Structures are given as structure tokens and as C-alpha cells.
Amino acid sequence: MPTRYLIANWKMQLTDSESLKLTEQISRLLPAVPTTDIRVETVLCPTQTALDVVSGAARDAGISVGAQNVFWEDKGAYTGEISPLNLKDLGCDYCIVGHSERRTFLNESDEMVQRKVAALLRHNINPIICVGETRAEREAGKRDAVIIKQVQAALAEGGSRPTGNQHIIIAYEPVWVIGTGQAVSPTDAAAVHHIIRDMLREMYSVDEVEKNCFVIYGGSVNVTNLSAFLQEDVIEGALVGGASLQADEFIRLAELMST
Ligand code: PEP
């Protein structure tokens, strides 16, 4: 059965009680979404402090939980950071790394992303690796070069590899469309997905790519444009910011994802 990912990135948009309320609403509505021959893996990524309550409320509805950040060491004098061990305790099976907002505002570098991915895999947490070019990079004709560099670095050129049932999810998120309501065209996104898939094939075995790797799109996905993205076979799901903050809208995305 093919799997698609629907991942909600709630960023720093909600208080803990708002996160809990939204999780409860989604948990109540999601089981009513008709099942099809496509398995939709739904992942909610709330702010760090809400992970515990969201995990508790999501579990029974078969919804997974992801963090928005992690540190690469297990323990030590790293004030303010969160260990993969903590994420495990909080019920996280996923973690976003390398989001453009962290790359921009918190100087998250390719090297840091690489260390975080390795730490997550070491602890059996599936990384959701965000890659994408800025508008200036695109206008300078550097889109593909930026993507190739970010993917190579994040996966240590194949040195970080999935084992067992681990999933590595790469989210192609053109930085310049995030939060704008203006997504890139599905053809444009698909072209980048093909580049990423080809890279994965060079790094891993056919089996690993098929079983353990997913490439999804993010950047102003909504109920109006999701289906067009999914028409492209190479797009295996979506990372959604704004449109994941209303339960009804998110459930509609889940319905579209499974058709
Ligand atoms: C994101 O920030 O990961 C994202 C995809 O946001 P939006 O859907 O709001 O563009």
C-alpha cells in the first residue's frame, strides 16, 4: 500500500492549550476520513512545550507527533537545547530539521543539520529534512545547486542511512513561497523532487529508497492546490504550515491526501 505524508508544522503559532484543543479536534474528525488504498501518515509538529499533551491526545487517533528541533548530543551542558532522548520520552517519532526559518533566524547550518539527522537516526526518530532555495538563489539560477548541497550535507553524502523501518523524509520547501499563499507550480516542484530522488538512488540501495525514503513538498499548500501536487507521482505528501492550523481545513487535506 503506498504511503503519503501529511505533516503539520505549527511553528510558534499556538499556546499549549490551543495546541491541545486543535489536536483533540483533529483526533475526533480524522477517523471519519474514508480509508482508501493509500495510507496517510499524519504527523503533528507542535511547539516544544506542547509535545507532551499533543502526544497524549493524538495517540489514540493513530496520529504521530514530531518536534520542530533537536540537539545532536544526548546529554551535557547545552543550555536551552533538547536531546533526542527527551523527544523520545515526549512521544516523538519525527523531528523537523533544517527548516528555512531556523536556517535564517538561528543560523542552522548544513553541518548542524547533518549532526541532527545522525542523532535522530541513532535514536530511531524519523527526520523531516527541509531543503529549499531562497528567491535570490532561484533568480541567480542556483536552485538545483542549493538543493543538491543541502541534501548531500544533511545525509552526510549517504553516511547517514536509514535502518529497519526508519523513514527519512525530505521536504522540498522553496523558501520564497513559504507562508505567502503562492505555491510553486506542481511541475516545478516535481522537477526538484526528481533531482532529490536521483540523489537518494546514488546514496542508498533501491530497496532503501523505496522503503525508507520519502520526498514531499512544502510551501503554501492548501485545500485548493494539494491535489495538483499529488498528480505528480514523485510528490509523496506535504509539509503544511498555515493550512494546518484549522481542524476543518487540515481534515480536508487528509481527505485529499488519501484520494
Ligand atoms: C512551512 O513553514 O513549513 C510551511 C510549509 O508553511 P506554509 O504552508 O504556511 O507555507
Side-chain angles (χ1 to χ4, degrees):
M1 186 187 267
T3 296
R4 282 182 182 156
Y5 269 97
L6 176 59
I7 305 176
N9 177 11
W10 291 346
K11 311 192 186 196
M12 203 181 70
Q13 304 284 21
L14 304 172
T15 62
D16 292 1
S17 53
E18 287 166 342
S19 296
L20 175 60
K21 189 170 160 210
L22 182 53
T23 307
E24 286 171 345
Q25 288 170 334
I26 291 172
S27 301
R28 206 170 39 247
L29 296 169
L30 197 64
V33 173
T35 48
T36 66
D37 57 357
I38 297 169
R39 197 179 85 80
V40 179
E41 172 73 358
T42 307
V43 186
L44 304 181
C45 302
T47 195
Q48 220 90 288
T49 53
L51 282 168
D52 199 19
V53 288
V54 168
S55 294
R59 198 169 301 128
D60 289 345
I63 299 171
S64 298
V65 173
Q68 297 175 16
N69 186 33
V70 68
F71 193 62
W72 53 80
E73 297 290 347
D74 292 357
K75 247 179 203 206
Y78 304 108
T79 305
E81 292 297 331
I82 185 158
S83 151
L85 295 172
N86 298 122
L87 296 189
K88 273 295 199 202
D89 283 349
L90 290 164
C92 294
D93 289 320
Y94 294 86
C95 181
I96 298 173
V97 287
H99 192 282
S100 62
E101 285 148 18
R102 292 196 62 83
R103 291 183 193 259
T104 304
F105 300 122
L106 293 144
N107 296 325
E108 190 156 303
S109 65
D110 282 344
E111 194 207 330
M112 289 156 83
V113 173
Q114 180 178 109
R115 295 171 87 171
K116 290 177 181 200
V117 169
L120 291 170
L121 292 174
R122 211 166 51 237
H123 290 283
N124 219 16
I125 300 171
N126 304 304
I128 302 161
I129 303 164
C130 299
V131 298
E133 81 288 357
T134 60
R135 182 186 290 279
E137 287 165 340
R138 171 169 284 234
E139 285 172 358
K142 293 184 184 155
R143 180 193 73 180
D144 298 359
V146 169
I147 303 304
I148 290 167
K149 180 170 164 288
Q150 290 180 346
V151 173
Q152 265 172 351
L155 299 173
E157 297 181 32
S160 274
R161 53 191 330 130
T163 54
N165 290 326
Q166 287 179 343
H167 286 181
I168 288 178
I169 300 120
I170 301 192
Y172 168 52
E173 297 209 304
V175 178
W176 52 286
V177 301
I178 292 176
T180 61
Q182 213 63 56
V184 297
S185 75
T187 334
D188 193 314
V192 177
H193 277 61
H194 280 296
I195 293 172
I196 297 171
R197 237 165 213 276
D198 288 347
M199 291 181 71
L200 293 169
R201 284 197 196 101
E202 277 173 26
M203 288 188 247
Y204 306 132
S205 70
V206 177
D207 198 45
E208 283 170 324
V209 177
E210 288 314 308
K211 198 177 114 214
N212 304 99
C213 299
F214 291 80
V215 188
I216 66 174
Y217 170 76
S220 293
V221 167
N222 56 40
V223 294
T224 315
N225 62 23
L226 178 62
S227 298
F229 283 106
L230 297 173
Q231 298 274 311
E232 303 283 348
D233 285 347
V234 74
I235 300 179
E236 300 175 287
L239 176 56
V240 187
S244 69
L245 292 167
Q246 299 294 330
D248 290 355
E249 202 172 353
F250 189 68
I251 293 299
R252 183 74 193 118
L253 291 175
E255 284 166 358
L256 295 170
M257 198 60 90
S258 61
T259 50

